[in-house]
């Protein structure tokens, strides 16, 4: 956060966008407003210029840049935040002309990620993403390098890391990749164990600030940070959830999504998002009170499609319905529910929807396997989980959890 003492004032930011018609500039600028607030700064004014394409030297036109300079002085602006990724030369030229520190959308998101990451994996992913972004920008020592002294856009790798040569940066990146590979192997082992034990996983995904963490806390008392800020949750959290009919599933909270999330940031956090890709059921949580609700739903669906989740049951969860009048509610389609996680409304309907989408993956039963069919015991150990095994006079009494294929082989020996 920027406010560190009574003497230090909050950073005052100007938001700047160029509308080329390639995306909804107004909606993106509104999102940038929320991102800046989440980073701990105060968005004071915003400027948007329509151009066929951004200026190569200064991103905005020369006349607009002069307006920005004058408006910055009049409003005591400390920071210029651009709603697109800037080149190193653009940052240098803008800072030289305005004498104000400049960051772009990617730097801002990286800064929020660095602020939110708590787990070892989250911190490793953030630092790797930061170094990938900063590597081609390690030139010059103007205002763009003095940002290392503090402020928004400076969290993460320290001065010594950024000022060393590229070879050292690349070496650090390789080390981070190796550490992340080790963490991923550990997660894969846990996932394999869950699958072997027949644990059903339900991933909560959706646009950032849709109320995913509030829902997670309501259902499982997980104690996940739930704030009205973008990217309040960065690290995945898993908790057991018991459903009304007695089934237990593993509920997983994931990092929130935003439109125009830089590609290399998606890549950096793909391992976290893979928790959703490998889950049995997906809850697509959407802020029903947002004017952009349909867009947010589509952003999430597109990413889920990219992750290969086309065959996974997806339950659309319209959250924050307490903020809407009855005639303002979005129509419910198949596998859709309306809830208010804040006020504990609609939860029975949500739990029923989860229950109705449960896959029949494994079956627990007791079998009496003849000694002559000892190969079946080996099959159970290979593909299932054995809870108890007792050698009797007429065979092996085995209490086990097996998949449907193995169950078909054993069904004639079932005794309980």
């Amino acid at each position: 956060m920027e406010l560190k003492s009574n003497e230090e004032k909050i950073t005052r930011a100007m938001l700047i966008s160029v509308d080329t018609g390639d995306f909804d500039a107004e909606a993106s600028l509104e999102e940038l407003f929320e991102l800046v607030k989440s980073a701990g700064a105060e968005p004071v004014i915003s400027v948007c210029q329509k151009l066929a394409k951004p200026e190569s030297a200064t991103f905005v036109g020369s006349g607009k840049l002069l307006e920005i300079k004058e408006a910055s002085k009049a409003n005591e602006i400390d920071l210029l935040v651009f709603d697109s990724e800037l080149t190193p030369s653009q940052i240098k030229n803008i800072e030289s002309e305005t004498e104000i520190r400049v960051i772009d959308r990617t730097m801002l998101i990286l800064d929020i990620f660095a602020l939110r990451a708590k787990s070892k994996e989250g911190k490793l992913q953030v630092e790797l993403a930061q170094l990938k972004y900063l590597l081609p920008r390690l030139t010059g020592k103007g205002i763009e390098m003095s940002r290392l002294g503090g402020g928004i856009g400076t969290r993460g790798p320290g001065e010594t890391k950024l000022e060393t040569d590229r070879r050292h940066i690349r070496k650090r990146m390789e080390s981070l990749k190796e550490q992340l590979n080790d963490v991923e192997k550990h997660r894969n082992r846990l996932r394999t164990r869950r699958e072997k034990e027949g644990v059903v996983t339900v991933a909560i995904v959706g646009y950032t600030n849709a109320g995913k963490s509030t829902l997670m806390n309501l259902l499982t008392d997980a104690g996940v940070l739930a704030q009205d800020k973008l990217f309040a949750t960065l690290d995945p959290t898993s908790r057991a959830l018991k459903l009304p009919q007695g089934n237990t599933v593993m509920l997983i909270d994931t990092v929130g999504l935003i439109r125009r999330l830089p590609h290399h940031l998606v890549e950096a956090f793909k391992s976290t998002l893979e928790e959703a890709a490998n889950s049995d059921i997906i809850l697509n949580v959407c802020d029903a009170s947002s004017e952009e609700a349909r867009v947010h739903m589509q952003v999430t669906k597109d990413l889920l499609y990219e992750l290969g989740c086309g065959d996974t049951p997806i339950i659309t969860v319209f959250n924050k319905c307490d903020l809407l009048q009855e005639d303002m509610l979005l129509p419910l389609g198949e596998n859709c529910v309306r809830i208010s996680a804040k006020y504990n409304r609609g939860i029975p309907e949500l739990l029923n929807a989860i229950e109705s989408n449960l896959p029949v993956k494994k079956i627990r039963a007791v079998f009496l396997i003849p000694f002559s069919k000892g190969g079946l015991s080996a099959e159970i150990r290979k593909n299932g989980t054995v809870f108890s095994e007792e050698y009797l006079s007429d065979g092996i009494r085995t209490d086990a959890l097996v998949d449907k294929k193995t169950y078909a082989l054993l069904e004639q020996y079932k005794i309980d």
Side-chain angles (χ1 to χ4, degrees):
M1 297 292 291
E2 287 297 292
L3 191 58
K4 297 178 181 178
S5 67
N6 292 332
E7 293 79 20
E8 188 176 349
K9 68 183 183 69
I10 295 177
T11 297
R12 293 169 60 83
M14 177 188 289
L15 283 50
I16 303 161
S17 173
V18 167
D19 185 359
T20 60
D22 293 335
F23 56 89
D24 189 336
E26 184 179 346
S28 186
L29 203 53
E30 289 176 3
E31 187 172 84
L32 188 69
F33 183 91
E34 296 299 327
L35 287 168
V36 168
K37 287 202 301 182
S38 291
E42 178 187 357
V44 179
I45 53 175
S46 62
V47 174
C48 185
Q49 181 180 30
K50 285 195 174 185
L51 292 174
K53 64 177 183 178
E55 293 290 335
S56 58
T58 55
F59 197 72
V60 295
S62 56
K64 182 62 68 174
L65 188 60
L66 183 60
E67 286 180 29
I68 290 169
K69 181 178 180 180
E70 292 173 351
S72 297
K73 288 182 179 178
N75 291 276
E76 299 181 341
I77 299 299
D78 310 301
L79 180 69
L80 302 179
V81 184
F82 282 75
D83 194 25
S84 294
E85 189 165 305
L86 303 178
T87 66
S89 60
Q90 286 172 336
I91 293 176
K92 186 175 182 180
N93 293 336
I94 297 167
E95 288 183 336
S96 176
E97 179 65 30
T98 63
E99 298 181 338
I100 300 172
R101 191 158 57 89
V102 172
I103 66 172
D104 61 22
R105 183 183 179 90
T106 301
M107 293 169 66
L108 178 64
I109 294 171
L110 282 169
D111 188 77
I112 296 170
F113 275 19
L115 185 65
R116 302 281 186 261
K118 302 300 178 187
S119 71
K120 177 185 176 183
E121 181 182 17
K123 290 176 181 178
L124 290 173
Q125 287 173 326
V126 168
E127 185 177 355
L128 180 59
Q130 287 176 316
L131 292 177
K132 280 183 178 179
Y133 176 81
L134 291 167
L135 184 59
R137 291 167 167 77
L138 296 179
T139 57
K141 290 184 182 267
I143 296 176
E144 72 272 17
M145 290 302 290
S146 70
R147 69 169 54 89
L148 298 174
I152 292 174
T154 70
R155 290 180 254 261
E159 183 172 0
T160 56
K161 287 178 184 167
L162 299 184
E163 290 185 345
T164 51
D165 59 23
R166 296 175 187 272
R167 184 165 48 184
H168 181 79
I169 296 293
R170 290 193 180 99
K171 187 175 179 181
R172 175 62 181 163
M173 288 169 64
E174 288 304 314
S175 172
L176 291 169
K177 288 176 183 176
E178 288 176 8
Q179 292 179 65
L180 281 169
N181 283 337
D182 290 340
V183 174
E184 187 173 354
K185 287 176 184 176
H186 176 67
R187 189 195 300 106
N188 287 338
R189 285 194 295 270
L190 292 177
R191 185 183 299 138
T192 301
R193 189 169 72 186
R194 286 202 304 257
E195 290 174 354
K196 187 176 180 181
E197 294 175 355
V199 177
V200 174
T201 54
V202 179
I204 305 178
V205 302
Y207 215 76
T208 185
N209 207 32
K212 298 186 303 299
S213 296
T214 302
L215 178 60
M216 181 83 168
N217 290 336
L218 174 64
L219 295 176
T220 68
D221 295 323
V224 179
L225 175 66
Q227 294 182 349
D228 187 20
K229 292 182 178 180
L230 302 189
F231 299 119
T233 303
L234 186 59
D235 301 309
T237 303
S238 302
R239 293 290 186 275
L241 168 65
K242 191 167 184 178
L243 298 173
Q245 293 181 22
N247 296 296
T248 299
V249 298
M250 186 67 70
L251 200 61
I252 302 171
D253 193 14
T254 61
V255 63
L257 310 173
I258 61 169
R259 66 162 62 80
R260 297 175 59 227
L261 184 63
H263 182 70
H264 63 271
L265 289 185
V266 174
E267 285 297 313
F269 286 85
K270 212 158 193 176
S271 58
T272 300
L273 295 171
E274 279 174 359
E275 290 289 356
N278 289 285
S279 63
D280 299 294
I281 300 171
I282 294 172
L283 303 185
N284 180 2
V285 181
C286 172
D287 178 358
S289 68
S290 170
E291 294 179 359
E292 298 289 312
R294 293 187 184 278
V295 176
H296 296 175
M297 285 172 57
Q298 196 57 49
V299 168
T300 307
K301 287 180 179 178
D302 290 345
L303 182 58
L304 291 174
Y305 181 79
E306 285 180 30
L307 291 172
C309 301
D311 297 328
T312 306
I314 299 176
I315 302 170
T316 301
V317 182
F318 293 111
N319 189 28
K320 304 187 183 181
C321 288
D322 55 284
L323 299 176
L324 296 173
Q325 300 295 327
E326 188 68 30
D327 60 345
M328 298 169 64
L329 294 171
L330 291 171
L332 290 180
E334 186 179 355
N335 252 9
C336 295
V337 294
R338 296 191 187 106
I339 69 164
S340 169
K342 184 177 180 180
Y343 293 106
N344 195 4
R345 297 173 190 165
I347 302 305
E349 290 79 4
L350 172 59
L351 296 179
N352 289 336
I354 294 173
E355 209 135 37
S356 65
N357 282 276
L358 289 176
V360 181
K361 296 180 67 177
K362 296 202 175 184
I363 304 164
R364 184 171 179 176
V366 179
F367 309 96
L368 184 61
I369 303 170
F371 291 114
S372 60
K373 299 291 184 180
L376 290 176
S377 294
E379 190 73 18
I380 294 173
R381 293 190 190 92
K382 180 182 177 183
N383 298 315
T385 302
V386 176
F387 297 103
S388 67
E389 199 173 58
E390 184 180 0
Y391 284 78
L392 304 176
S393 59
D394 51 351
I396 308 169
R397 186 183 186 277
T398 307
D399 179 2
L401 184 74
V402 296
D403 57 29
K404 288 188 286 185
K405 182 179 178 181
T406 307
Y407 180 80
L409 298 173
L410 297 164
E411 189 171 10
Q412 60 183 308
Y413 305 115
K414 182 181 175 184
I415 59 174
D416 288 342

